Amino acid sequence: MRIPRAILALGLFLAAGPAWAVDDPSEMLPDRKQEQRAEAIGSQLRCLVCQNESIEDSSADLARDLRHVVRQHVARGETDRQIMQWMTARYGEFVRLKPRLTWATVMLWAMPALAIVIGIATAATTIMRRREAPTPLSDDETRRLHELSESPSDATGHD
Amino acid sequence: MTALPVATAGALGLGFWRMLGGMSSGGFDPHAVNAPILDRSLPDFTLPGLPGQGDGFDSATLRAQKEPVLLNFFASWCIPCVAEMPALRDIGRKLPIWGIAYKDKPEDAARFTARDGSPFARVAADRSGMAAIDWGVTGVPETFLILPGGRIAWHGTAELTDDTFRHEIQPRLQALR
């Protein structure tokens, strides 16, 4: 029986799974629960060398050290919050891959919504203004219009 | 009705203007990995020395200094560290520089600092790199300006040059006087 190549490729692709940088089993905690917690925390922490990878994904030296630190803290029984605080005390908010809600990040999140609201408001006011029927001419204006249309020689415009 | 979008755009513009102003004055740096350590007391550590270059030092000794000190993290395997050595030797004549060899074999670090004359008043070795993490160091070379009492006044994350010294460090030293 021949397996179609595309299906084989897809199967292999799905079987590969995520490539964790924790390639050395000795790095892992013996307790499965604790190891899973450490991985969850590590995947929230930015590798400060490569910057757009988490320390769990990165193979940088510093990332390995930080993975080790996270596991030490987990084994000591610290909460996620405590470990995050330990990290931000040293590396600042930048170390979080998911930024916390602050005034600066509120502005970031609100920007697309604000842009849409402002766009709709601007479009709506423009359309409304166009739909408004022009106000009828006053008596003065009607008279002036007549004068202008009756004397074309005056149209060059000194008032 | 037109006032609302104009006011919103104005407020956003003001916000961005303040953000950009902060970025150019140094008050706001979105990439400031190590901003948290500024204006704080230096972290606790005790580190051994390099072979033939003293006994190393600890946080208490550094805190007890009566004059400002530059603390430089370096490694023999780091190319910008090689490049900054001449500048370090110059600056070291004006202001003591203490060095910490980051994740380096003590023998290699000792050979490296001794090659053209050590710029460091004192050196220590952080073999595991764990002390560097407490400082928020993300790579070598990185330099800190430490004021008497152990307060961290400045942090540089690139190789130290005469230019950096004149524009970043000297004004802070003058502000002390």
Side-chain angles (χ1 to χ4, degrees):
Chain A
M1 190 184 85
R2 274 182 62 108
I3 305 166
R5 243 182 235 179
I7 290 177
L8 187 68
L10 184 72
L12 286 173
F13 175 74
L14 291 176
W20 299 114
V22 187
D23 41 17
D24 183 3
S26 69
E27 252 191 61
M28 295 190 199
L29 289 171
D31 184 320
R32 240 186 96 72
K33 271 244 173 72
Q34 286 190 338
E35 173 61 26
Q36 275 171 355
R37 255 195 74 211
E39 275 170 27
I41 296 168
S43 60
Q44 293 296 307
L45 289 166
R46 186 189 303 277
C47 164
L48 298 139
V49 180
C50 14
Q51 306 215 338
N52 280 330
E53 271 185 307
S54 78
I55 58 166
E56 287 295 319
D57 295 333
S58 169
S59 51
D61 225 29
L62 181 67
R64 194 192 315 129
D65 289 349
L66 290 178
R67 280 202 296 270
H68 176 66
V69 168
V70 167
R71 278 158 180 78
Q72 274 182 331
H73 285 234
V74 167
R76 229 178 279 155
E78 284 180 26
T79 63
D80 292 15
R81 228 186 119 114
Q82 282 173 315
I83 298 172
M84 277 308 206
Q85 260 167 7
W86 193 93
M87 287 288 171
T88 46
R90 279 154 186 77
Y91 295 109
E93 284 295 309
F94 189 61
V95 80
R96 292 169 185 272
L97 278 173
K98 268 194 198 148
R100 270 193 304 197
L101 210 61
T102 62
W103 279 113
T105 51
V106 161
M107 205 145 108
L108 184 73
W109 297 122
M111 203 54 69
L114 269 178
I116 290 171
V117 169
I118 293 170
I120 290 174
T122 317
T125 43
T126 323
I127 291 167
M128 300 260 255
R129 203 172 299 149
R130 255 190 230 156
R131 272 205 201 137
E132 267 171 35
T135 39
L137 292 180
S138 65
D139 291 346
D140 261 6
E141 284 167 333
T142 325
R143 207 174 307 125
R144 200 164 138 62
L145 190 65
H146 272 292
E147 278 170 22
L148 287 171
S149 52
E150 273 161 22
S151 54
S153 60
D154 232 24
T156 43
H158 23 108
D159 203 37
Chain B
M1 192 61 191
T2 43
L4 182 70
V6 169
T8 317
L12 287 177
L14 194 73
F16 277 118
W17 178 71
R18 283 193 54 186
M19 208 161 89
L20 288 174
M23 275 166 85
S24 63
S25 72
F28 172 71
D29 180 2
H31 273 255
V33 176
N34 320 84
I37 205 165
L38 287 184
D39 275 331
R40 290 206 322 220
S41 183
L42 55 91
D44 291 324
F45 65 91
T46 307
L47 294 172
L50 299 179
Q53 297 191 19
D55 297 331
F57 53 86
D58 58 14
S59 41
T61 322
L62 196 47
R63 265 191 211 113
Q65 294 306 300
K66 298 272 178 279
E67 288 293 312
V69 173
L70 280 179
L71 182 74
N72 178 256
F73 282 83
F74 69 96
S76 66
W77 44 260
C78 134
I79 291 163
C81 302
V82 178
E84 73 172 354
M85 273 293 165
L88 283 190
R89 271 188 282 272
D90 272 359
I91 295 163
R93 278 179 217 117
K94 299 168 199 153
L95 180 70
I97 306 177
W98 292 22
I100 294 181
Y102 173 73
K103 299 192 96 170
D104 205 355
K105 283 195 195 118
E107 315 82 81
D108 291 350
R111 234 189 336 260
F112 174 73
T113 55
R115 191 160 53 197
D116 294 310
S118 172
F120 301 117
R122 302 184 70 155
V123 272
D126 179 17
R127 278 217 78 170
S128 65
M130 287 298 142
I133 289 177
D134 285 335
W135 284 82
V137 165
T138 55
V140 273
E142 286 194 17
T143 311
F144 297 85
L145 174 63
I146 294 144
L147 302 184
R151 195 168 68 80
I152 296 163
W154 176 78
H155 179 200
T157 52
E159 69 176 80
L160 200 57
T161 61
D162 283 334
D163 236 32
T164 329
F165 184 73
R166 252 179 290 126
H167 294 117
E168 303 277 345
I169 300 171
Q170 238 163 15
R172 284 173 171 86
L173 293 176
Q174 268 152 14
L176 288 178
R177 280 174 200 134

